[in-house]
């Protein structure tokens, strides 16, 4: 016999018809023209979705911050000081509005008050785009590696090529990791606007992901290839003279004192083309196929794409306007030229210490000098995009 | 990824840990804490290969639900009483979220354990997600809800408004001052572990009861990232505890962080849940009941207490006092009443309480009606302009409160208010714990110990000061809380959108000028100030002037 148990009536909230839908009534602000974020001026005529979720989330006392910043560091600095880079954008030397008893809020009159707020990430990155992009990359890499595994593609690798990948492609993961965490993530606290800081955070994601892509690829190879030494990358990174130059200059980047502008500039404008692309594009991508390796270029190529299509784009959009700044163009150019003088020789010296890597594989890549020339040309092109002259140090 | 391969992958990426050889990284953010390289608990394992697709999948669900809500005409069933408070909440919360992202590198430098940095970097990415997904949710409300005013100028509002400034502690506090105090204790150990993890789950349930199932969709998705952050915080805390020199600082920071979180979060979320809802089922949990379960039992009893054996000094007294404030001293009711008193200084509409609400409050908080009922009846009586002023300028037995210099919530539990002369200025504090925070904790020495990295409480912390002597119409216009006809106010003390029932700047123009309580306090002689304190401490509950019988209602 079955009985239906009597249960007390379940307590649930009751839906009610409220008609609280757009357009249900007419009153001040009910129209379509009131339905957009109206506290900033978009960069172009049409306000973008990216701008809506990014602009002005980080306050600026020159805009609306009536009560000012409410926490300070021990040295008295507060919020996001514009002095955390020596670069300047127009308007920054204008004094902050002074507020006090009876002053009112002093909201911004001439938007955007200073030139830093003109920056927009050309990649328009926010959460939706960054997950889509990176999820696609890791899916693609997983598939490529999985296909290669199934096709026994690694069997064709020569001993020398195995050594090259375990040591050198392996060593590169450390550079991506250091730049990702200790340059890009580290500086996402320092930029003058939310647009800058989010762009740095997204750049950091690419780097950290790429470092892990390389580490996990290394793990797969350890499992797939008899005799592949998964710890050899540590030996190369710690002990191989061919890597110590790159390591030294890479470690110098997080040591830059208190200037997010120099950190990003030195990394994405100087280090990346002269060391990063030299190794990734002009060595690994050139030599792998000749040595029967069709897989490594797809893993490394993802990192190449990150830099070329995304990270360099925002960097140029960030720095190029500063060399044309209506108030501080000369100041900024002088500063950037100083950075070039400092970083270019170090990077070239490091590049030269990497030369032995060009002769390790059986099937040889292009000559080192040709690879370096390509990297230098690329670098000179980036400088031209930024409105900077090629420094004489480049001919060294 | 299988669990086994995840563990292997996680093991592998530890090989990335960086030990500098040629150059030490620049330490931009200081801390007075010290860390020996002690054995530590591993944080939650996470590798980006599985993280990115997992997050993308979560996104797909959130955006799918958003489309569904619009197609399904969700806004025909949304309670305006509820959604109006979202104009405040969603104006605040994207900044704390993005600030959490910005704070993570402060920990890279302060905590010399490279194994933790990976988890912190993933938290940084999560927080970019939270901030932008919330800005996006608000945009959706602006586009589809009947009244976009207050959403459309959201961040200007937030930056201009005193409630926004209170909320801003939950942002600047994460990223400024001693790196461990800010990014670890205040953000992770207290804000995330105690308050957001619990109440951001409780609040969405209330949203759903008010016809809004998008807020729960977004916030549950956000919340699902939180266990990683809690795990980061726990690992850091254990490391800090292993160094005895840190215990004094931990005790200081837990006291500050606990009390400040209680003051700020309970004020805001408490008000949303108790006064922003139309769900008056007797068996739905009150905020006090939620608090007891989520914060007292789950956080205090289950998370904090077990840490006592590792030497953590837990602020038992402040935790009990917070409960006392909520249960016996009406903290949430006092705050909601103050929000409603000052409706004209804000940018959302505040619905009055009805008989059904009264009944629910009396059932959940016996004695509520005798304290607050009369005032809310007056609020309804004065809701629509009819020759009178807004309630703040009418005689309804309510003394406009002074603000707490530290937490910036007014000193609403009147008997707890204390004054002190700090940095050459007389300041009022809502409670001794807030006085201690300003006068003793946020200082370069603490109990005789040098604390050179400790932050400072700065800024124009009393909002009224800035408008001292101003006409109210000018104040509202200056803040920008005006609709597109140039005169109707964004805020209203009722939900009727009939333009004839709405307050305008013309009504504000006739009001008495704004006067700053703090400016007046500093003009008092010593004896006047003593008399003021004595009187203030006798006021209440519900803001009653001293000597009109409120004494009997105090617990
Ligand atoms: Fe978050
Ligand atoms: Fe306080």
């Amino acid at each position: 016999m079955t009985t239906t148990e009597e249960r007390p009536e379940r307590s649930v909230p009751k839906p009610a018809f409220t008609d609280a839908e757009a357009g249900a009534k007419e009153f001040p602000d009910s129209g379509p023209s009131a339905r957009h974020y109206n506290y900033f001026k978009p960069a172009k005529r049409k306000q973008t979705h990216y701008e809506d979720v990014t602009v002005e989330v980080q306050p600026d006392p020159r805009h609306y911050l009536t009560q000012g910043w409410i926490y300070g560091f021990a040295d008295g600095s507060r919020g996001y000081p514009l002095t955390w880079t020596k670069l300047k954008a127009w308007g920054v030397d204008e004094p902050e509005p002074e507020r006090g008893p009876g002053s009112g809020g002093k909201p911004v009159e001439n938007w955007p008050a200073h030139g830093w707020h003109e920056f927009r990430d050309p990649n328009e990155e926010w959460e939706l785009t960054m997950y889509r992009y990176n999820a696609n990359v890791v899916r693609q890499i997983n598939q490529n590696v999985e296909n290669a595994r199934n096709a026994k593609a690694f069997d064709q690798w020569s001993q020398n090529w195995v050594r090259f990948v375990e040591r050198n492609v392996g060593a590169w993961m450390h550079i991506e990791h250091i730049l990702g965490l200790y340059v890009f993530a580290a500086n996402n606290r320092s930029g003058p606007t939310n647009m800058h800081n989010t762009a740095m955070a997204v750049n950091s994601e690419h780097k950290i992901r790429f470092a892990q892509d390389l580490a996990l690829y290394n793990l797969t190879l350890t499992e797939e290839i008899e005799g592949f030494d998964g710890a050899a990358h540590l030996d190369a990174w710690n002990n191989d003279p061919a890597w110590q130059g790159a390591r030294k200059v890479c470690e110098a980047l997080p040591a830059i004192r208190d200037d997010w502008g120099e950190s990003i500039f030195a990394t994405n404008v100087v280090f990346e083309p002269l060391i990063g692309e030299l190794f990734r594009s002009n060595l690994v991508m050139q030599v792998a196929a000749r040595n029967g390796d069709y897989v490594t270029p797809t893993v490394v190529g993802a990192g190449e794409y990150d830099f070329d299509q995304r990270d360099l784009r925002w960097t140029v959009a960030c720095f190029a306007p500063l060399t044309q700044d209506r108030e501080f163009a000369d100041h900024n150019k002088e500063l950037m030229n100083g950075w070039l003088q400092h970083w270019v020789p170090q990077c070239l010296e490091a590049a030269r210490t990497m030369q032995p890597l060009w002769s390790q594989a059986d099937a040889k890549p292009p000559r080192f000098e040709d690879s370096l020339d390509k990297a230098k040309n690329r670098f000179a092109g980036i400088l031209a995009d930024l409105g900077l002259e090629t420094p004489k140090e480049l001919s060294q | 990824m299988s669990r086994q391969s995840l563990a292997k992958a996680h093991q592998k990426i530890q090989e990335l840990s960086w030990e500098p050889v040629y150059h030490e990284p620049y330490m931009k953010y200081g801390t007075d804490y010290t860390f020996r390289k002690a054995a530590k608990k591993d944080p939650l394992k996470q590798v980006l290969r599985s993280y990115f697709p997992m997050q993308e999948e979560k996104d797909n669900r959130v955006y799918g639900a958003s489309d569904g809500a619009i197609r399904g005409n969700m806004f025909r069933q949304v309670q305006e009483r509820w959604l109006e408070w979202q104009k405040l909440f969603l104006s605040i919360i994207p900044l704390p979220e993005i600030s959490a992202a910005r704070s993570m590198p402060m920990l890279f430098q302060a905590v010399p354990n490279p194994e933790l940095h990976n988890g912190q970097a993933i938290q940084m990415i999560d927080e970019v997600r939270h901030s932008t997904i919330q800005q996006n949710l608000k945009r959706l409300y602006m586009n589809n809800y009947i009244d976009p005013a207050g959403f459309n100028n959201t961040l200007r509002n937030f930056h201009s408004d005193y409630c926004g400034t209170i909320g801003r502690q939950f942002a600047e506090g994460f990223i400024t001052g001693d790196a461990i105090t800010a990014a670890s204790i205040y953000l992770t150990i207290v804000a995330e572990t105690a308050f957001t993890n619990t109440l951001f789950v409780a609040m969405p349930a209330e949203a759903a009861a008010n016809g809004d199932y998008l807020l729960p969709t977004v916030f549950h998705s956000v919340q699902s990232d939180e266990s990683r952050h809690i795990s980061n915080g726990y690992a850091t805390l254990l490391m800090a505890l292993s160094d005895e020199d840190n215990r004094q600082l931990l005790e200081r920071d837990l006291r500050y962080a606990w009390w400040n979180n209680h003051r700020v979060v309970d004020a805001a979320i408490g008000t949303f849940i108790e006064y922003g809802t139309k769900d008056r089922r007797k068996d739905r949990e009150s905020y006090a009941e939620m608090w007891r379960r989520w914060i007292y039992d789950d956080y205090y009893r289950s998370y904090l207490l077990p840490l006592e054996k590792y030497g953590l000094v837990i602020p038992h007294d402040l935790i009990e006092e917070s409960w006392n404030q909520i249960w016996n001293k009406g903290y949430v009711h006092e705050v909601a009443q103050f929000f409603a008193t000052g409706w004209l200084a804000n940018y959302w509409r505040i619905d009055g309480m009805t008989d059904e609400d009264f009944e629910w409050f009396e059932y959940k908080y016996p004695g509520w009606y005798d304290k607050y009922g009369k005032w809310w009846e007056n609020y309804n009586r004065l809701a629509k302009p009819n020759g009178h002023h807004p309630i703040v300028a009418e005689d309804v037995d309510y003394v406009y409160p002074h603000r707490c210099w530290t937490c910036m919530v007014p000193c609403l539990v009147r008997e707890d208010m204390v004054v002190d002369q700090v940095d050459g200025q007389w300041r009022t504090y809502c409670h001794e714990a807030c006085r201690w925070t300003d006068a003793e904790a946020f200082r370069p020495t603490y109990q005789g110990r040098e604390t050179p990295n400790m932050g400072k409480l700065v800024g124009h912390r009393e909002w009224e000061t800035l408008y001292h002597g101003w006409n109210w119409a000018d104040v509202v216009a200056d803040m920008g809380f005006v609709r597109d006809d140039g005169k109707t106010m964004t805020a209203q003390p009722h939900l009727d959108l009939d333009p004839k029932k709405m307050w305008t700047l013309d009504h504000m123009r006739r009001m008495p000028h704004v006067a700053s309580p703090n400016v007046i306090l500093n003009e008092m002689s010593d004896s006047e100030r003593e008399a003021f304190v004595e009187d203030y401490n006798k006021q209440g509950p519900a803001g009653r002037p001293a000597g009109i019988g409120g004494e009997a209602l105090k617990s």
Side-chain angles (χ1 to χ4, degrees):
Chain A
M1 187 183 81
T2 55
T3 53
T4 313
E5 259 181 66
E6 283 286 321
R7 291 230 207 120
E9 203 190 329
R10 267 157 46 81
S11 169
V12 285
K14 293 172 196 60
F17 180 71
T18 58
D19 204 12
E21 191 169 60
K25 288 197 182 86
E26 260 183 58
F27 55 89
D29 261 2
S30 62
S33 64
R35 295 187 189 275
H36 72 101
Y37 286 159
N38 61 19
Y39 45 87
F40 66 92
K41 285 210 182 89
K44 304 214 174 89
R45 201 179 49 83
K46 197 172 174 327
Q47 187 160 343
T48 66
H49 204 149
Y50 155 74
E51 286 179 307
D52 277 353
V53 296
T54 312
V55 177
E56 209 61 6
V57 172
Q58 174 178 317
D60 185 335
R62 291 159 201 252
H63 289 174
Y64 306 115
L65 208 58
T66 303
Q67 293 178 256
W69 297 109
I70 50 175
Y71 279 80
F73 285 99
D75 71 358
S77 55
R78 13 186 120 167
Y80 292 84
L82 300 178
T83 51
W84 282 1
T85 177
K86 290 179 269 312
L87 292 165
K88 287 184 172 194
W90 62 262
V92 298
D93 283 353
E94 297 294 315
E96 249 179 48
E98 272 194 45
R99 302 178 177 103
S103 70
K106 298 194 177 233
V108 59
E109 283 168 16
N110 299 313
W111 181 272
H114 58 78
W116 287 118
H117 290 284
E118 290 176 341
F119 170 66
R120 297 289 183 275
D121 175 3
N123 306 312
E124 307 204 331
E125 296 273 22
W126 61 295
E127 71 109 17
L128 193 69
T129 61
M130 74 193 194
Y131 287 121
R132 276 190 191 157
Y133 174 75
N134 286 293
N136 278 336
V137 172
V138 295
R139 263 194 299 271
Q140 193 67 52
I141 291 178
N142 277 346
Q143 255 167 35
N144 292 343
V145 173
E146 190 56 23
N147 287 342
R149 229 164 52 90
N150 292 336
K152 305 267 175 237
F154 306 117
D155 293 356
Q156 304 170 35
W157 292 14
S158 69
Q159 277 303 306
N160 268 346
W161 185 249
V162 168
R163 295 289 89 78
F164 183 91
V165 173
E166 71 184 13
R167 291 182 69 78
N168 301 322
V169 175
W172 190 258
M173 70 172 82
H174 299 283
I175 289 182
E176 294 293 334
H177 179 76
I178 291 170
L179 299 181
L181 279 176
Y182 305 103
V183 173
F184 292 102
N187 278 295
N188 105 109
R189 167 71 184 88
S190 302
T193 75
N194 207 41
M195 291 76 82
H196 292 88
N197 289 324
T198 296
M200 289 187 236
V202 172
N203 197 149
S204 154
E205 291 172 32
H206 297 155
K207 293 277 171 202
I208 300 168
R209 191 216 71 231
F210 185 35
Q212 293 192 6
D213 291 343
L214 291 172
L216 298 181
Y217 180 49
N218 185 286
L219 178 63
T220 301
L221 296 178
T222 311
E223 288 165 350
E224 291 297 313
I225 300 177
E226 178 91 1
F228 187 98
D229 178 1
H233 68 97
L234 289 166
D235 182 55
W237 175 244
N238 290 326
N239 305 314
D240 190 339
W243 279 103
Q244 300 315 299
R247 176 168 184 169
K248 189 172 173 188
V249 67
C250 170
E251 289 190 347
L253 294 167
I256 290 170
R257 295 187 71 80
D258 215 8
D259 194 324
W260 69 265
E262 183 179 357
S263 300
I264 305 303
F265 184 93
T267 305
N268 274 354
V269 175
V270 187
F271 181 90
E272 275 291 340
L274 290 181
I275 306 285
E277 290 192 327
L278 175 71
F279 176 73
R280 297 184 312 241
S281 313
N282 294 315
L283 177 57
V284 179
M285 300 297 277
Q286 304 298 326
V287 71
R290 296 179 199 185
N291 285 282
D293 176 3
Y294 298 93
V295 190
T296 304
T298 68
V299 178
V300 173
E304 281 303 271
Y305 189 87
D306 291 340
F307 175 69
D308 183 50
Q309 298 294 314
R310 301 234 161 193
D311 302 338
L312 182 59
R313 270 183 88 200
W314 85 261
T315 305
V316 171
C318 172
F319 291 97
L322 297 170
T323 68
Q324 318 292 319
D325 188 86
R326 69 186 195 221
E327 200 179 338
F328 297 113
D330 291 342
H331 165 91
N332 292 331
K333 273 194 269 194
E334 199 181 319
L335 196 59
M336 291 185 209
N337 284 330
W339 293 341
L340 291 174
Q341 278 166 29
H342 181 72
W343 291 101
V344 169
Q346 291 184 55
C347 286
L348 287 178
E349 194 190 319
R352 293 201 178 281
T353 62
M354 297 169 84
Q355 186 163 356
L357 307 181
W358 265 250
S359 47
Q360 289 180 3
D362 297 328
K364 297 290 182 277
R367 286 177 37 223
F368 172 76
E369 288 300 333
D370 293 340
S371 295
L372 185 59
D373 278 349
K374 271 181 94 174
K376 284 178 174 180
N377 285 339
R378 156 83 157 169
F379 171 63
I382 293 170
L383 293 185
D385 289 346
L386 291 173
L388 294 169
E389 317 257 294
T390 309
K392 60 178 184 345
E393 287 81 3
L394 195 64
S395 53
Q396 282 167 6
Chain B
M1 241 178 177
S2 73
R3 180 178 290 190
Q4 189 202 1
S5 59
L6 180 64
K8 260 205 236 164
H10 189 262
Q11 191 62 36
K12 182 71 186 179
I13 63 171
Q14 298 308 333
E15 291 174 11
L16 289 164
S17 295
W18 174 39
E19 300 287 345
V21 170
Y22 300 99
H23 298 277
E24 286 296 324
Y26 171 58
M27 297 290 173
K28 186 169 171 64
Y29 307 102
T31 180
D32 298 321
Y33 283 77
T34 49
F35 290 88
R36 292 177 308 214
K37 293 203 174 181
K40 53 258 162 183
K41 190 185 175 298
D42 237 7
L44 270 191
K45 295 183 183 2
Q46 189 73 61
V47 293
L48 294 179
R49 180 180 283 184
S50 54
Y51 169 80
F52 282 126
M54 173 182 82
Q55 299 295 89
E56 188 196 35
E57 177 57 36
K58 284 193 207 166
D59 266 7
N60 289 341
R61 274 178 261 145
V62 168
Y63 291 100
S66 303
D67 291 347
I70 294 166
R71 278 201 307 275
N73 302 316
M74 182 186 91
F75 290 89
R76 290 183 192 169
Q77 295 186 1
V78 158
Q79 292 293 347
E80 292 181 56
R81 175 188 278 182
W82 174 260
L83 220 65
E84 288 296 319
W85 285 103
Q86 293 305 313
K87 292 177 178 175
L88 171 60
F89 178 63
L90 288 175
S91 74
I92 296 174
I93 195 68
L95 179 66
E97 296 284 14
I98 207 68
S99 304
R102 309 306 179 223
S103 78
M104 286 298 116
M106 300 173 72
L107 294 176
F108 297 170
Q109 298 173 357
V111 187
N113 177 1
E115 286 171 34
L116 295 185
H117 300 170
N118 192 52
Q120 289 154 352
I122 292 180
Q123 179 168 354
M124 173 192 77
I125 306 171
D126 286 338
E127 305 292 9
V128 172
R129 168 173 199 251
H130 300 171
S131 180
T132 53
I133 209 170
Q134 291 162 5
Q135 275 289 109
N136 188 63
L137 174 66
K138 181 167 60 180
R139 187 173 178 269
L140 187 149
Y141 287 157
M142 171 180 72
N143 284 325
N144 296 285
Y145 169 63
I146 188 165
D147 182 13
F151 284 130
N152 54 12
N153 44 359
T154 176
L155 291 176
R156 175 180 178 180
N157 298 344
F158 167 50
H159 300 162
S160 305
D161 180 84
Y162 79 81
C163 298
T165 309
I166 295 170
R168 211 147 31 83
Q169 295 170 95
F170 240 60
E172 292 186 43
F174 304 162
I175 58 166
T176 322
D178 186 302
I180 295 296
T181 308
S184 187
I185 309 301
Y186 185 69
L187 167 60
T188 314
I189 302 297
V190 180
E192 289 186 303
T193 308
F195 284 85
T196 72
N197 194 45
T198 52
L199 298 176
F200 284 11
V201 175
M203 205 179 75
E206 210 50 48
N210 285 277
D212 174 10
Y213 55 82
L214 272 187
L215 187 95
T217 306
V218 171
F219 276 81
H220 284 147
S221 189
V222 162
Q223 206 55 38
S224 67
D225 297 330
E226 218 62 46
S227 55
R228 274 197 296 282
H229 308 174
I230 291 169
S231 159
N232 285 341
Y234 192 68
T236 308
L237 181 60
L238 286 190
M239 275 188 74
L241 274 169
S242 69
D243 210 325
E244 295 223 357
D245 285 350
N246 292 329
R247 297 203 176 156
Q248 186 184 18
L249 300 180
L250 278 171
E251 183 184 358
R252 176 197 69 186
D253 289 346
L254 260 187
R255 291 187 75 78
Y256 145 64
W258 169 271
W259 185 255
N260 188 270
N261 270 267
H262 150 65
R263 272 340 217 186
V264 175
V265 179
D266 290 335
I269 312 280
T271 298
F272 305 156
I273 286 183
E274 300 298 55
Y275 288 81
T277 188
K278 291 291 278 186
D279 181 12
R280 296 305 184 193
R281 287 171 299 139
K282 298 260 167 63
D283 57 354
R284 89 117 166 120
E285 276 188 329
S286 68
Y287 185 76
E289 290 166 308
M290 293 177 194
W291 198 97
R292 192 72 193 180
R293 180 152 72 95
W294 292 107
I295 306 222
Y296 194 90
D297 291 339
D298 283 5
Y299 177 74
Y300 171 46
R301 311 285 310 176
S302 307
Y303 174 90
L304 272 189
L305 273 186
L307 287 166
E308 220 163 23
K309 65 175 176 291
Y310 298 110
L312 190 69
V313 181
I314 294 169
H316 302 285
D317 57 329
L318 292 183
I319 293 167
E320 297 298 343
E321 175 60 12
S322 305
W323 171 247
N324 187 32
Q325 295 277 325
I326 289 172
W327 187 241
N328 295 315
K329 294 188 170 185
Y331 185 64
V332 171
H333 307 300
E334 299 279 340
V335 171
Q337 183 192 16
F338 177 75
F339 274 131
T341 293
W343 66 264
L344 66 173
N346 299 320
Y347 46 91
W348 60 94
R349 296 178 291 142
I350 299 178
D351 193 15
M353 294 295 116
T354 65
D355 288 346
E356 197 191 348
D357 299 314
F358 288 0
E359 205 185 307
W360 186 88
F361 279 119
E362 192 59 33
Y363 177 75
K364 290 292 184 181
Y365 299 96
W368 181 92
Y369 182 83
D370 283 346
K371 293 176 190 161
Y372 305 99
K374 190 101 219 114
W375 187 90
W376 281 102
E377 283 162 6
N378 278 318
Y379 182 83
N380 290 337
R381 179 176 59 82
L382 299 165
K384 293 178 183 167
N386 185 20
H388 55 78
H389 293 306
I391 190 167
V392 67
E394 292 288 337
D395 182 7
V396 289
D397 282 342
Y398 187 83
V399 183
Y400 192 84
H402 282 240
R403 252 167 225 280
C404 176
W405 189 262
T406 298
C407 70
M408 296 177 284
V409 180
C411 309
L412 296 170
V413 179
R414 313 270 168 151
E415 66 261 38
D416 292 340
M417 189 277 283
V418 293
V419 299
D420 197 358
Q421 192 177 26
V422 178
D423 298 334
Q425 180 186 24
W426 283 100
R427 297 174 177 173
T428 45
Y429 300 93
C430 69
H431 189 275
E432 164 57 24
C434 269
R435 189 206 64 80
W436 167 89
T437 301
D438 181 30
E440 297 178 38
F442 274 81
R443 297 287 149 182
T445 57
Y446 177 67
Q447 297 178 345
R449 166 189 186 147
E450 304 277 297
T451 49
N453 287 295
M454 191 59 179
K456 296 181 160 134
L457 302 184
V458 298
H460 307 294
R461 300 179 77 88
E462 197 217 36
W463 172 83
E464 288 86 346
T465 305
L466 296 148
Y467 292 104
H468 185 61
W470 280 49
N471 180 279
W472 265 106
D474 298 329
V475 174
V476 173
D478 190 62
M479 294 188 294
F481 304 164
V482 184
R483 290 166 187 263
D484 62 7
D485 63 350
K487 63 171 193 166
T488 305
M489 295 171 64
T490 303
Q492 299 290 331
H494 60 75
L495 297 178
D496 192 338
L497 286 165
D498 176 352
K500 290 192 287 294
K501 311 275 171 58
M502 294 168 84
W503 294 78
T504 68
L505 294 183
D506 297 336
H507 299 115
M508 299 297 108
R509 185 80 53 203
R510 301 194 285 259
M511 288 177 63
H513 286 183
V514 175
S516 150
N518 186 265
V519 169
I520 294 166
L521 178 72
N522 278 277
E523 286 165 353
M524 289 177 188
S525 68
D526 287 351
S527 61
E528 284 169 336
R529 194 176 49 253
E530 279 158 29
F532 151 77
V533 174
E534 199 189 320
D535 180 77
Y536 198 98
N537 288 153
K538 286 188 195 138
Q539 293 167 15
R544 282 178 176 76
I548 66 161
E551 276 307 297
L553 296 170
K554 290 185 189 172
S555 53

